[in-house]
Structure formats: structure tokens, C-alpha cells
């Protein structure tokens, strides 16, 4: 075989998940005009099949590890594990969207195509080994997300959320791109591994890292901090999460966070390893701010979507505790935490999707009064997700926090010990707003003017998968920690 053709085929194999997502997105777009209004739901199942196929194709990509397209993309165990997390979240969000779009009278094929294109962008983010390529993935994900947030076009809240997300997201993207320009000016390259080598040479030659590189680190962190929703870049999140269609909120709160954290790990741990002493303190300060802002603001929320939005902010802070450990174990814990997080967070938002009704009128905590007597299985699932978010034993959330705290304490730095103490206090604060919802569901009289609809089969399947994943990851499956450690090791062995 011609070496050029063989190389291009290998590249396609390495990008198999993104190829599958893009192809199915195009199929949905082309088929949409030919499918009658009453049958648009079929396109949702086509998109779900595309997400499942992309998940299966991760296995294909895993057979061809190495650089793709002149080392712009890196296929390794780290990026493949991140792909699995992203695609599971996307598949669950699509299942939760099928009946929701019918209920809201916005069942359209472009919705599912946008979800698939956003997922393809997240996949590029997770595997990018070059900063401009990462920017392309960031834009693919972001532009599709802006449209999805405003998909309830007749809702002023949805329009406002979309505009706010677009404006602030554009600023964050500009910071990221300016950071790319700064690091190119300092090192003459934008490849992540080449940046690491260049900074090492400069440090050996001059005894310090150029100021442009430090500025680049700060600018890149601003751009990425917006996507993972950490303080002080979190101000948009509650309004956007509240105004967006709830299945879109479930997607935004999970998959982009996983993809961006994967890119952050690659940039900070690899490209800026020479600046670890600097970004360690930056991560610690931001982690404390993020946990405090998320938990304290969630205490006073009466809207379930806003409460879960602030909860999502707080969990980004817990992930940063493991991130700050600056070790291979810390990277492994970040991946494990993200795996547990997508199940409990997507599951919680899918419960809100089911109970919201037309125009999402039922999103107040009081609307959940007596839910256990009306739909005990739904109440039990929601309780499981909330208790996992709280960190109760035998759930994925508990092991995620346990491993995060452990990875920080093992380093035996006083600052990290203090960070773990602050994180533990914040976990106790979080117990109030999670348990308040559970108490409302089980110990308050049910509302007489509200009867939840039956759980749709697609939503039921998604909830069953999310609940099973939450419990499975909480019973210490040795396979998953082993996989996350292997993924972390693959990052450091390059």
C-alpha cells in the first residue's frame, strides 16, 4: 500500500469517534427535510445510534495509538478514557431529549445534529496536542452549544441564556486564543509537547521561564476556566443552565467539563510543567473560591436547576483538589471523578427534565413535595444522584471525593492538607441543600394540583444507566481505577 494512503487510513482510524459523530450529524441534517413533523423523533434515535457507534469506535482508535495528522492529535489511553466519558454523557442527553422535545413542541433534526457536532468538538479537545487544534475543537463545541442553549426560541429565558453564553463565551475564547499567541511568541511553537521542550531549554539557558509564557498560562487558564465553570469565571453558568432546555443543561454540565479538564491536564502537566510551582498556587486559590461560591450560593436557591448549576460549580472545585496534587495519581483521580460525575449530574438533570412539564413550569423545590408517594422510583433515583453529589458512601461521588482528598494528602504538603480541610467543610455545607430536596420529596405532603407524567421509556433507560453507573463506581470496581491510572501514566510516558 502507498505509504501516504496507509498513513491517512491510520489517521482516520485514530479519529474514528469524531468521524462517526460527524457522519451521523450530517446524515441527520440531510434527512431532516425529508422526515415529516410527526416522525422527527426518528432522527433522535439515529443520533443516539451515532453516539453509541462513536463510543464503540473508541475501541478502534485504541488499536492505533500515537500521533494523528502530524501530531496535531494524540491518541493515547488518556484521550480515549476522556472520549468514553464524553460520549456516555452525550448518549444519555440524547435519550433524555427525545420526549422533552415532543413535550415542548420543538422536535427538530438540527437539535440532534448540533449535539453530535458539539460532541465531535469535545473529542478533539480531549485529544488535542496542538493549541490551535484545541481552539478548533473548542469552537466546534461552543458554537453548537450557543445554539442549543437558545433552542426554546419562544422562551425569553432561553434567548437571554443563549445571548449571555455567546457574549461571555466569545470573550473567554479570545483570552484562550491570545494565550496561544503568547506561547507561540515565547517558544515559536504551539504543539504541547514541543512547548514543554522549548520551555525546558529556556529554563536551562536563562534560569527562568519567559514572562510571555507566564502570561500565556494565565490567559489560557481564563479561557479554559470559563468552560469548566470555576470561580471567578462562573457568573454566566446559573442563568445559562436555568434558561437552556434541561437536556442541554445536562449536556453542558457534564461533557464539556470533562473535555476541557482533559485539555487542561495536558496543557498544565505537559506544556507548562516548568511552571508547576506557579500554577499550583493558582489552582489552589481557584479551587477554594470555586467550592465556596458554588456551595454558599446553592444554599439559598429555590429553583432546582439553579441549585444543580451551583452544585456543578462546587464539584469543579473538588476536581481541582486532585488537579492540584500535580502527580500521576492526581490525574487518574481527575478522570475517575469525571466518570462518576457525569452519571450523577446527567441523571439528576434528567429527573428535572422528566418533572419539568410544558415550558418547564415545575422546577421549584416545592414542586417536588411528596414525590416519593407519587413516583417512588423516580424519587429514589433522584435521591441516589443527590446523595452521590453529596458524597455518601457506596456511590461514585463518595469515591470520587475520597480519592481526590487522598491524592492531595499523599503529597504531604501543608497547603494541600489545608485545601482538603476546606473541601471537607464545603462537603458538609453541601449536605444542606441536597438533603433539603430529599426531605421535600419524602416528608412533605404532595401537591394536589400537580401529578407528574409517566416516565417515558427513553428517559427510563437513561436513568437506569445513570443509576447503575453511580452505584457501580461506588462499590470500588478495581477495573476503573486501574484504567484511570493507566490513562494517567500514558500521559506522562510521552
Amino acid at each position: 500500500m502507498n505509504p501516504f494512503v496507509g498513513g491517512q487510513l491510520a489517521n482516520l482510524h485514530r479519529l474514528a469517534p469524531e468521524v462517526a459523530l460527524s457522519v451521523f450529524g450530517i446524515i441527520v441534517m440531510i434527512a431532516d427535510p425529508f422526515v415529516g413533523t410527526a416522525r422527527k423523533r426518528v432522527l433522535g434515535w439515529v443520533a443516539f445510534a451515532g453516539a453509541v457507534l462513536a463510543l464503540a469506535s473508541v475501541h478502534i482508535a485504541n488499536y492505533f495509538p500515537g500521533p494523528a495528522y502530524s501530531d496535531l492529535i494524540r491518541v493515547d489511553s488518556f484521550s480515549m478514557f476522556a472520549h468514553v466519558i464524553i460520549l456516555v454523557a452525550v448518549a444519555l442527553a440524547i435519550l433524555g431529549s427525545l420526549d422533552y422535545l415532543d413535550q415542548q413542541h420543538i422536535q427538530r433534526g438540527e437539535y440532534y445534529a448540533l449535539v453530535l457536532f458539539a460532541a465531535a468538538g469535545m473529542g478533539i479537545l480531549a485529544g488535542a496536542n496542538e493549541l490551535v487544534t484545541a481552539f478548533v475543537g473548542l469552537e466546534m463545541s461552543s458554537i453548537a452549544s450557543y445554539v442549543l442553549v437558545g433552542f426554546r426560541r419562544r422562551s425569553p429565558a432561553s434567548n437571554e441564556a443563549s445571548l449571555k453564553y455567546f457574549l461571555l463565551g466569545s470573550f473567554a475564547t479570545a483570552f484562550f486564543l491570545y494565550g496561544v499567541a503568547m506561547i507561540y511568541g515565547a517558544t515559536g511553537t504551539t504543539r504541547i509537547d514541543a512547548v514543554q521542550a522549548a520551555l525546558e531549554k529556556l529554563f536551562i539557558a536563562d534560569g527562568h521561564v519567559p514572562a510571555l509564557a507566564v502570561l500565556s498560562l494565565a490567559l489560557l487558564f481564563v479561557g479554559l476556566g470559563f468552560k469548566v465553570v470555576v470561580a471567578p469565571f462562573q457568573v454566566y453558568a446559573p442563568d445559562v443552565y436555568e434558561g437552556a432546555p434541561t437536556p442541554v443543561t445536562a449536556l453542558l454540565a457534564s461533557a464539556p467539563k470533562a473535555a476541557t479538564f482533559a485539555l487542561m491536564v495536558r496543557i498544565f502537566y505537559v506544556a507548562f510543567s516548568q511552571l508547576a510551582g506557579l500554577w499550583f498556587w493558582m489552582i489552589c486559590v481557584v479551587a477554594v473560591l470555586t467550592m465556596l461560591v458554588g456551595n454558599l450560593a446553592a444554599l439559598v436557591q429555590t429553583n432546582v436547576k439553579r441549585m444543580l448549576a451551583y452544585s456543578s460549580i462546587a464539584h469543579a472545585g473538588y476536581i481541582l483538589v486532585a488537579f492540584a496534587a500535580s502527580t500521576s495519581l492526581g490525574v487518574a483521580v481527575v478522570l475517575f471523578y469525571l466518570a462518576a460525575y457525569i452519571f450523577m449530574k446527567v441523571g439528576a438533570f434528567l429527573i428535572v427534565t422528566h418533572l419539568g412539564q410544558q415550558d418547564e413550569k415545575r422546577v421549584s423545590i416545592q414542586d417536588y413535595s411528596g414525590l416519593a408517594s407519587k413516583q417512588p422510583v423516580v424519587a429514589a433515583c433522584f435521591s441516589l444522584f443527590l446523595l452521590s453529589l453529596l458524597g455518601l458512601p457506596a456511590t461514585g461521588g463518595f469515591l470520587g471525593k475520597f480519592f481526590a482528598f487522598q491524592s492531595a494528602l499523599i503529597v504531604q504538603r501543608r497547603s494541600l492538607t489545608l485545601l482538603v480541610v476546606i473541601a471537607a467543610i464545603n462537603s458538609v455545607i453541601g449536605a444542606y441543600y441536597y438533603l433539603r430536596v430529599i426531605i421535600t420529596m419524602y416528608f412533605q405532603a404532595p401537591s394536589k394540583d400537580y401529578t407528574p407524567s409517566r416516565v417515558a421509556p427513553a428517559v427510563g433507560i437513561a436513568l437506569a444507566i445513570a443509576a447503575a453507573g453511580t452505584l457501580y463506581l461506588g462499590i470500588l470496581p478495581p477495573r476503573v481505577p486501574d484504567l484511570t491510572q493507566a490513562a494517567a501514566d500514558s500521559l506522562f510516558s510521552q
Side-chain angles (χ1 to χ4, degrees):
M1 180 183 292
N2 186 300
F4 175 78
V5 175
Q8 294 307 310
L9 286 175
N11 287 335
L12 288 175
H13 282 115
R14 291 179 180 124
L15 265 67
E18 287 74 25
V19 171
L21 290 166
S22 299
V23 168
F24 271 82
I26 293 170
I27 290 172
V28 170
M29 290 287 286
I30 293 175
D32 186 36
F34 303 100
V35 178
T37 304
R39 296 175 61 84
K40 296 285 188 185
R41 182 189 179 92
V42 174
L43 298 175
W45 287 109
V46 173
F48 176 71
V52 172
L53 181 62
L55 185 59
S57 66
V58 170
H59 192 60
I60 298 174
N62 205 38
Y63 271 110
F64 294 87
Y69 294 104
S70 302
D71 213 5
L72 299 181
I73 302 285
R74 184 62 63 89
V75 176
D76 49 27
S77 297
F78 177 81
S79 66
M80 290 299 98
F81 194 93
H83 272 75
V84 171
I85 296 173
I86 294 163
L87 292 170
V88 168
V90 168
L92 294 178
I94 291 174
L95 283 177
S97 301
L98 294 169
D99 291 276
Y100 173 88
L101 296 182
D102 280 334
Q103 186 184 68
Q104 306 296 328
H105 307 297
I106 52 175
Q107 186 73 263
R108 296 184 181 88
E110 62 263 29
Y111 173 93
Y112 302 108
L114 287 167
V115 170
L116 294 178
F117 293 144
M122 296 172 207
I124 292 173
L125 269 179
N129 188 48
E130 195 268 338
L131 293 174
V132 176
T133 304
F135 170 74
V136 172
L138 185 66
E139 285 300 277
M140 281 181 64
S141 169
S142 297
I143 292 172
S145 299
Y146 301 150
V147 181
L148 287 169
V149 168
F151 211 77
R152 291 193 298 144
R153 290 178 293 181
R154 294 181 178 85
S155 167
S158 185
N159 291 329
E160 178 189 345
S162 181
L163 182 60
K164 186 174 294 185
Y165 194 27
F166 169 69
L167 291 175
L168 294 179
S170 299
F171 279 112
T173 301
F175 275 101
F176 180 85
L177 200 55
Y178 198 35
V180 175
M182 293 296 102
I183 197 61
Y184 182 79
T187 65
T189 182
T190 53
R191 253 183 47 196
I192 290 174
D193 54 347
V195 167
Q196 179 191 32
L199 290 180
E200 285 180 356
K201 289 180 180 178
L202 289 170
F203 184 80
I204 292 171
D206 303 332
H208 61 85
V209 173
L212 273 182
V214 177
L215 178 59
S216 171
L217 174 65
L219 291 170
L220 290 172
F221 183 66
V222 171
L224 297 175
F226 176 89
K227 293 296 288 185
V228 296
V229 198
V230 296
F233 317 115
Q234 86 297 339
V235 290
Y236 75 97
D239 292 338
V240 170
Y241 285 18
E242 182 184 11
T246 309
V248 174
T249 305
L251 181 67
L252 292 179
S254 54
K257 191 183 293 285
T260 310
F261 262 120
L263 178 62
M264 276 183 64
V265 167
R266 205 178 285 273
I267 290 176
F268 279 59
Y269 277 73
V270 179
F272 290 102
S273 58
Q274 289 293 322
L275 291 172
L278 176 63
W279 61 251
F280 166 79
W281 292 107
M282 182 171 65
I283 293 295
C284 287
V285 171
V286 169
V288 172
L289 286 175
T290 302
M291 290 185 287
L292 287 173
V293 168
N295 283 308
L296 293 178
L299 290 175
V300 297
Q301 301 304 316
T302 58
N303 182 294
V304 179
K305 289 180 74 174
R306 290 187 72 88
M307 185 204 77
L308 290 174
Y310 281 111
S311 162
S312 179
I313 295 169
H315 278 274
Y318 300 135
I319 294 171
L320 288 178
V321 173
F323 195 106
S326 308
T327 62
S328 175
L329 177 61
V331 174
V333 172
V334 168
L335 291 176
F336 183 91
Y337 201 117
L338 288 170
Y341 173 82
I342 61 124
F343 285 117
M344 55 191 179
K345 183 60 73 172
V346 173
F349 274 117
L350 290 184
I351 295 287
V352 179
T353 300
H354 162 64
L355 297 173
Q357 294 198 339
Q358 177 68 32
D359 297 327
E360 298 193 3
K361 295 176 181 177
R362 302 290 182 174
V363 292
S364 169
I365 292 177
Q366 288 305 312
D367 291 326
Y368 291 65
S369 298
L371 180 64
S373 62
K374 295 180 178 179
Q375 292 191 340
V377 176
V378 172
C381 284
F382 200 24
S383 298
L384 172 64
F385 299 136
L386 292 175
L387 291 174
S388 184
L389 289 165
L390 167 60
L392 195 75
T395 64
F398 168 76
L399 285 183
K401 285 185 179 178
F402 176 80
F403 289 150
F405 297 168
Q406 182 187 49
S407 66
L409 291 174
I410 284 177
V411 180
Q412 296 184 344
R413 290 182 64 167
R414 186 175 299 177
S415 53
L416 282 177
T417 302
L418 179 60
L419 182 61
V420 170
V421 171
I422 295 172
I425 293 171
N426 273 274
S427 295
V428 175
I429 295 172
Y432 172 79
Y433 57 85
Y434 292 127
L435 294 177
R436 180 176 59 166
V437 178
I438 295 174
I439 290 170
T440 301
M441 291 191 296
Y442 281 91
F443 298 105
Q444 290 191 12
S447 174
K448 295 181 180 179
D449 63 341
Y450 171 46
T451 301
S453 58
R454 293 183 59 186
V455 179
V459 174
I461 293 170
L463 290 177
I465 294 171
T470 299
L471 289 172
Y472 176 73
L473 291 177
I475 309 174
L476 190 55
R479 178 69 173 154
V480 178
D482 289 346
L483 288 173
T484 58
Q485 189 59 61
D489 291 341
S490 73
L491 185 70
F492 287 94
S493 63
Q494 295 169 13

